[in-house]
Amino acid sequence: MQTFSKLIKQIGRRFLELRKPFKITLAVLFLLLTTVLLYPFQTVVVPAWNLQVVDDAGKPVTRITVTEHWQHYLLETQGHDELKLTNEAGRVDFTARTIRASVLRRFLATLGKLTSSGSDARRDRYAAVVVWGSSDHSLSTTVYQPDDEPPETVIVQRSH
């Protein structure tokens, strides 16, 4: 610990010996670096998801429950969900789901995940919709793939 303290004192003395323009340049660079490391940049977990629920005959399914689930596994320890009912056209709209985190927080979270769970730890984004709650239709799950747009249609099988 003493060596670290000595190092800090030595850096401080050398900084004081610098010329004023160079001190200002270093201070500005330090401020910029600190800002970039600490600014909470926004990440989209899942974009707005506007979908239509249809049955296996292609007919819109009205007044059925659709639950959206989402989580950013690196930055969150728990997932979220929102329930909605389809309208008369079988449509339901969910807003974009975002999260804010700084570069430093993301780096520390990655280190934490790697040390606690190894390279298999989930650090990605996840979202899915589940269509349920109808005695006339079977349960249906659709998963969002982060590199693609969310599916616009969910097909539920009719119970016969």
Side-chain angles (χ1 to χ4, degrees), residues 127-141:
V129 289
V130 179
V131 180
W132 60 281
S134 168
S135 59
D136 297 332
H137 301 89
S138 60
L139 181 130
S140 177
T141 302

Side-chain angles (χ1 to χ4, degrees), residues 48-54 66 68 86-87 89-94 129 131 142 150-154:
W49 198 336
N50 308 309
L51 60 96
Q52 183 179 34
V53 178
V54 297
V66 180
E68 181 184 39
T86 58
N87 63 17
R91 299 197 78 61
V92 65
D93 299 327
F94 294 100
V129 289
V131 180
T142 302
E152 295 178 2
T153 307
V154 175

Side-chain angles (χ1 to χ4, degrees), residues 103-121:
V103 172
L104 182 60
R105 179 176 170 212
R106 293 166 197 262
F107 175 74
L108 294 175
T110 300
L111 283 180
K113 288 272 187 181
L114 290 175
T115 55
S116 68
S117 303
S119 61
D120 293 334

